Structure formats: C-alpha cells, structure tokens
Amino acid sequence: MFGHTDPFEILEPGAVEPAPRTCDVMVKRVSAAKRVGVMARQDKADWITEMRRIRDHADEDAFVTLFDHFAPRVKAFLMRSGADAAMAEECAQEVMVTVWRKAAAFDPSRASVATWIFTIARNKKIDALRKQRRPEPEDLPWGPEAEPDQAEVVELQQESAHLGQAIADLPEKQRDLIEKAFYGELSHSEIAAETGLPLGTIKSRIRLALDRLRHAMERKQ
Amino acid sequence: MTTIRHHLTEDLILGYAAGTLPEAVNLAVATHVSLCDECRAAVEAHEAVGGSVIERCGTEDMSAGARESALAAIRGPAPEVPAAPTPDAVLPAPLLSYVGKGLSDVKWRSVGMGVKQAILPTSSEATARLLYIPAGVAMPDHSHNGIELTLVLKGAFEDEDGRFARGDIEIADDAVQHTPVADISEDCICLAVTDAPLRFKRLLPRLAQPFLKI
C-alpha cells in the first residue's frame, strides 16, 4: 500500500513529462457536466468574495450563496464515501457551519474555496464515519494574512482552475480512478496498476501547484 | 529548518490528502509535514485535486429545512476552540495532542537495553509509538509483515538505507530487513508506526514480543 515511490521522482521540477497520449488530446466531449464546470470556474473568484464578506461582515447572504452551492456537493461526496443520506446531510450542514466559523483561517493564496471546503469535509468524514481523530500539521509560523498578495491569489486560483480542467479533460476511466482514490476506494499504487498510465496531465498540474506553493512558502520565510 | 533528506512517498501524500489512512499513519505524516515544507506543499497540491473532486462529484439535494438550521447554528454561540499548544523543541504539535505539554509528559516504559517506548492512543488499524534509543544502541534485527514508518525527532540513526536525522522518515515494508543503530553522539527519539507486528529474527526478542506489544 505504501510502495517506495518517491513523490518527487514524478513531481521534481523539470522532470520530463510523458508525451500526452492521443486520447488525452483528442477526446473533447462537450458534456453537460463540462458546461457546469465552466460556470463553476467563472464563479470561483466570487467564492473568495463570499468568504471575505463572511470574515469581515458576518454576511449571511454570502453564507447562503456558499451553502446552496457547496452543501449539496459535500453531501454527495460524503454519501459516495459511505455515509447514509441522514448522516451526510447532518455532516454537510456541520461542514458549512465550520466554513462560517473558520472563515478567518481561509487563505486564498494557498487554496481555492472548493479545496478548503474539501479539507473540512474530509476531516468531518474521518471524524463521523471512521470515528478517528485527524492529526493536522503544525500551523506555519505565518498565519493567513489579512490581505495576501493579490498576484499569489490570482496565480493559485488559476492553477486550481487548470487542475480542475485537466481532470475534466481526462478520459472517463482515468477520471474515475482519481475520484475513487478520494472516496477511499483505491490507493495510488492500485491506480497505477489498474491504468498502467502515469496520468501525466494530472501529475504535471499537481507539480505546477506544488512549485507554486513551495515558492510561496519560501517567500514568506 | 534542517534539511530533510528522506521524504514521504506519493502513496502517503495522496492517502493523507484524501483522508484514507489509519490514524497512526496520519499522525506520522502530519508530524513529518510539520517539519518538511516540501511535503507540506505536496499535500496541499493533492488537496487541490480533492477540491476538484468536490466540484465534480455531483449534488444531493439538502432537505427543506437544512439551510435554516445552518443559519440558526451560525447565529448561535461558537464552541470554544482549544488554544494551539506551546511549541516543543522535540515534539511537533500533532504529537503534543497525543502526549501532553512536552517531552516530559511522555509515559515511557522500558523495553530493555536502555530502549524505552510509549504507545500512543490511536485507532487500532495501526500502532504509533515513541521510541527512545540510547546513543550507540542497535534495535533488534527485524523485518515487517506490513509497513513501518520511522520518523526521527531527535538525534539520528543509521541503517542499510542511510542516515536519518530530525524530520527524516524511513518507510520500510516487508521486503526490508534492517537493524537501525542510533548515532553514537546522542540519544535518539523517533516516532515509529507499524500496521502489523514486527518480526524479530532472534529468539529472545521474539519471546518478549507479546509482552512489549511490538
């Protein structure tokens, strides 16, 4: 389960990326799901605005906007992860209440709103479904800044959008495997074994995100 | 921050980001990430994939009153958030939440040869223990049925795979048989996580195994 793959063997900056397979490039299905994806990306900047309005003005309208978009997604994520409908509903509500209470801890130069909500939902899943504590890393010496560097925010949000698009563009079978890993249905080695593909597009996007985060951390130390 | 030479595997990074690892393994990952910016960035990059999964995973309708009860909850009093622990020179924050205020709160039990251990209260799928190995002492020869993660917190040890100092993590599986030896200059403290009992090669430790819970 925890094979000796070096994360940076693949993620090392400058590593040669495998040439994209024809199917990655050619398959461009314009599906309904994808159109929804495009709308979601256009909204992304606004999620940050909603977060600021919650943090700075305890703005309930902003909360309702986030709730209507994310609560049904968190509920679907938790049900796919093994929760029944009632538990998923209750947990999704608690996740959104946590979004409100921890709004000041959200740092848009390090995560998109969707990514941040994912981490809260994941922790809730471990707590409620697996009845375990979730050890979290020590906070960085610099906490979220009141107004993080705008260029860093834009860069991170664009990177997240590109990553989302790269996942949307994957052939369905590969995309399924990535999603299964997040629902606890497959380990990374199993993904590699099952596809025999290096999932190059995703790896290169993750690598870019990784480089960006690493540089952001270096600048702040 | 010291230079870390031995990092997490991609499996561990993905598993931690996805939230699919046993608690004891999460503890080792969280402790390493507390000391290693590179792996912290890798975890956050993998969490971004989780963000896309949430965006793409479809929707399940919330019940009619859900939004109202969430609004009622945010208007109500927030539960008190426990203060972050005071940093400890040896034990990063994730470990402190299992141990207490610092190294002096660890409830060590002797396992012989000057080696001490303290088993931490995690879920039972895997076991996390702090090990205290006096300078120059070798751990008994052992191999693994499952995996063993060894994260150095103080001092250093060496084995067939190289030298491991503060923040370095060694990931051994059943293919590896090794004899870690603590540096001669300083006592070594590590966090060791196993998902199955260790198999000792010599008879005496093997007899003692059921008593040591290792």
Side-chain angles (χ1 to χ4, degrees), chain B residues 169-190:
Chain B
I169 187 163
E170 178 173 59
I171 296 150
D173 58 25
D174 43 15
V176 177
Q177 192 187 330
H178 66 163
T179 314
V181 181
D183 254 19
I184 198 81
S185 53
E186 194 187 352
D187 293 351
C188 177
I189 297 175
C190 328

Side-chain angles (χ1 to χ4, degrees), chain A:
Chain A
M1 180 177 181
F2 310 105
H4 266 94
T5 359
D6 179 349
F8 304 105
E9 187 177 78
I10 300 151
L11 301 176
E12 199 68 61
V16 181
E17 203 51 50
R21 288 170 50 110
T22 328
C23 59
D24 293 350
V25 182
M26 301 292 287
V27 179
K28 298 271 179 206
R29 288 172 306 124
V30 182
S31 64
K34 217 158 169 181
R35 283 197 296 277
V36 171
V38 170
M39 282 169 58
R41 273 200 312 288
Q42 284 165 349
D43 287 343
K44 282 259 165 77
D46 292 334
W47 301 142
I48 295 178
T49 311
E50 316 299 327
M51 287 304 302
R52 289 204 174 114
R53 281 164 54 198
I54 291 175
R55 182 193 65 184
D56 297 337
H57 307 295
D59 184 331
E60 291 187 2
D61 291 341
F63 177 76
V64 166
T65 309
L66 284 181
F67 186 94
D68 289 349
H69 181 79
F70 284 106
R73 285 173 170 76
V74 170
K75 184 177 175 185
F77 169 77
L78 293 170
M79 286 178 71
R80 175 87 187 265
S81 303
D84 63 32
M87 181 190 247
E89 163 107 10
E90 195 188 324
C91 289
Q93 269 192 51
E94 288 172 17
V95 166
M96 297 313 295
V97 171
T98 304
V99 168
W100 171 274
R101 290 191 178 138
K102 290 198 173 165
F106 170 65
D107 182 346
S109 70
R110 284 177 65 195
S112 72
V113 174
T115 297
W116 188 62
I117 292 180
F118 159 74
T119 62
I120 297 172
R122 169 203 64 199
N123 293 359
K124 179 57 75 182
K125 174 181 89 173
I126 295 173
D127 177 42
L129 257 70
R130 299 178 59 201
K131 314 276 182 221
Q132 291 180 12
R133 291 167 66 185
R134 158 87 183 180
E136 290 289 335
E138 196 160 296
D139 289 338
L140 288 165
W142 37 275
E145 296 156 68
E147 287 308 325
D149 185 88
Q150 199 50 35
E152 281 180 21
V153 173
V154 169
E155 224 182 314
L156 187 281
Q157 301 302 323
Q158 280 176 354
E159 193 49 61
S160 303
H162 290 151
L163 182 61
Q165 191 57 51
I167 291 173
D169 287 347
L170 282 176
E172 200 176 333
K173 220 175 150 188
Q174 291 186 41
R175 190 169 57 235
D176 271 2
L177 288 168
I178 289 183
E179 290 171 354
K180 278 182 174 171
F182 277 85
Y183 298 121
E185 294 163 5
L186 274 182
S187 81
H188 188 275
S189 304
E190 287 169 312
I191 293 175
E194 193 150 328
T195 57
L197 287 172
L199 298 172
T201 328
I202 298 304
K203 288 282 162 59
S204 63
R205 296 284 19 147
I206 290 179
R207 198 181 65 219
L208 285 170
L210 169 69
D211 286 348
R212 213 210 52 74
L213 285 161
R214 197 188 285 143
H215 291 148
M217 289 185 187
E218 279 163 7
R219 272 200 294 277
K220 288 179 184 180
Q221 274 173 4

Side-chain angles (χ1 to χ4, degrees), chain B residues 9 13 18 33 36 42 117 121 131 138 140 159 162 168-169 179 185 204:
Chain B
T9 60
I13 289 169
V33 165
C36 177
Q117 71 163 357
L131 283 173
D159 70 8
D168 285 328
I169 187 163
T179 314
S185 53
L204 193 64

Side-chain angles (χ1 to χ4, degrees), chain B residues 123-145:
Chain B
S123 71
S124 59
E125 307 147 276
T127 306
R129 58 167 58 77
L130 288 168
L131 283 173
Y132 183 101
I133 309 164
V137 167
M139 283 288 284
D141 226 15
H142 63 279
S143 60
H144 313 91
N145 292 313

